[in-house]
Amino acid sequence: MLALQGKTAVVTGAGRGIGRAEAVELARLGASVVVNDYGQPEPAEDVAAQIRAAGGQAIAHLGDVADFEQARELVQLAVDTYGQLDILVNNAGILRDRMVFSMSEDEWDSVIRVHLKGHFNTTHFAAAHWRERSKAAGGAVYGRVINTSSEAFVAGSPGQPNYAAAKGGIVGLTTSTAMALAKYGVTANAICPRARTGMTEDVFAGVEVPEGEGLDPLAPEHVSPLVGYLASPAAAKVNGQLLVVHGGMVAVLDRPKVAVKFDTAKDVFSHEELDEQLSPYFAERPANETFAAVEVLGLKKG
């Protein structure tokens, strides 16, 4: 039996790029897939047709996941068509890159809306579905949430304050969801994928496609197997995690840790005491050693 036989998945932003590869992989593993994409109908319809031509089950949904009601309709479509929802892959997103001092209000709002609100909307309705099923069953059910964060959040991308903020928010949403839904049998994890897609063509414009028969290290097909794994029963013990994936490599990121702690000798810190304790510490700390983990950008296979 295939790993996801009998399961139903929703993949947002699945008309192209990473989402397309994820939808195809989930279908290859046996899942029935609702292929969501916003805008022109052809991309989502083409992916659904490709899945059906390969012997799988798929339908297209053309709604905007950042719209609360359309997100509800997306989850309901999966339930009405295939009986229930088992897997939610949140991938839909846009880019509006600009330095923080040049960014417009709309460039900020639109990215936060599509990425962060879009992730919340679908997760809200999927979580309500699983909670009701769990109550009816009197126990745990099968549920998987795979969210899409980014190295831009981890490394603090200077030209993407809106995108980095949205992707950081998605990590917070993911860990909160993981804690809230664990008792219902549902896991929630986030990935930081790196791939050459229509959305990132400017980001990776200077990265050449290697010659030869090998798969491009930035191909979305390097990302989709991890999503298939996280969606499967094999990943039942993987919950609340953040994983970087690209080019034949998967890295599990550790949670933040306390580097050092300072205590006041009195009841309340004074400015002078904070200066005496913190200033020497930061004077010795390397200037580029911040909360951002820029070294993640250097990860590669091998």
Side-chain angles (χ1 to χ4, degrees):
M1 179 178 285
L2 297 173
L4 299 180
Q5 195 72 44
K7 300 291 190 294
T8 299
V10 163
V11 184
T12 72
R16 307 170 180 83
I18 293 175
R20 182 186 188 112
E22 291 168 339
V24 170
E25 175 66 7
L26 294 176
R28 188 189 70 81
L29 293 173
S32 300
V33 183
V34 180
V35 180
N36 163 265
D37 204 64
Y38 184 53
Q40 296 298 317
E42 289 82 7
E45 296 285 3
D46 287 350
V47 175
Q50 177 186 344
I51 290 171
R52 292 193 297 268
Q57 296 189 75
I59 57 172
H61 176 270
L62 307 178
D64 176 9
V65 294
D67 180 281
F68 198 66
E69 181 59 23
Q70 292 182 55
R72 184 195 67 78
E73 292 171 357
L74 170 59
V75 171
Q76 194 60 47
L77 177 62
V79 175
D80 291 345
T81 305
Y82 299 116
Q84 63 188 43
L85 175 65
D86 304 288
I87 301 155
L88 171 63
V89 180
N90 283 311
N91 169 75
I94 61 172
L95 288 179
R96 298 289 186 270
D97 292 352
R98 205 173 299 278
M99 301 295 284
V100 69
F101 43 76
S102 301
M103 182 164 289
S104 70
E105 181 180 16
D106 180 69
E107 288 167 338
W108 173 271
D109 288 348
S110 60
V111 168
I112 297 297
R113 177 183 181 273
V114 174
H115 287 274
L116 188 52
K117 187 183 179 187
H119 272 61
F120 161 73
N121 286 347
T122 53
T123 300
H124 166 78
F125 291 109
H129 168 71
W130 288 320
R131 180 172 179 265
E132 289 304 310
R133 279 178 49 201
S134 177
K135 288 168 63 177
V141 297
Y142 191 100
R144 299 285 188 270
V145 179
I146 299 105
N147 288 334
T148 307
S149 183
S150 171
E151 294 168 294
F153 151 65
V154 180
S157 178
Q160 298 179 301
N162 49 2
Y163 187 69
K167 292 306 190 180
I170 286 168
V171 173
L173 172 64
T174 303
T175 54
S176 176
T177 301
M179 296 289 285
L181 301 187
K183 63 182 178 181
Y184 302 119
V186 178
T187 66
N189 296 285
I191 63 170
C192 296
R194 190 188 303 179
R196 195 191 310 272
T197 67
M199 192 179 81
T200 62
E201 59 184 352
D202 291 338
V203 177
F204 298 121
V207 182
E208 295 183 1
V209 179
E211 297 182 1
E213 298 180 0
L215 186 65
D216 179 2
L218 291 177
E221 287 75 17
H222 285 296
V223 175
S224 53
L226 176 62
V227 172
Y229 166 73
L230 292 173
S232 76
K237 299 295 184 182
V238 185
N239 195 29
Q241 303 297 321
L242 179 62
L243 305 96
V244 176
V245 53
H246 58 81
M249 178 217 76
V250 174
V252 180
L253 300 191
D254 206 354
R255 65 186 185 277
K257 296 181 179 179
V258 177
V260 63
K261 183 174 76 74
F262 301 95
D263 295 319
T264 179
K266 306 172 184 178
D267 290 334
V268 180
F269 270 112
S270 66
H271 172 83
E272 291 75 17
E273 189 181 14
L274 286 169
D275 182 24
E276 290 172 2
Q277 293 200 47
L278 271 66
S279 294
Y281 171 76
F282 284 106
E284 296 296 324
R285 189 180 174 101
N288 62 348
E289 191 171 316
T290 70
F291 191 78
V294 181
E295 64 274 14
V296 169
L297 299 179
L299 291 173
K300 61 182 180 179
K301 180 183 176 183

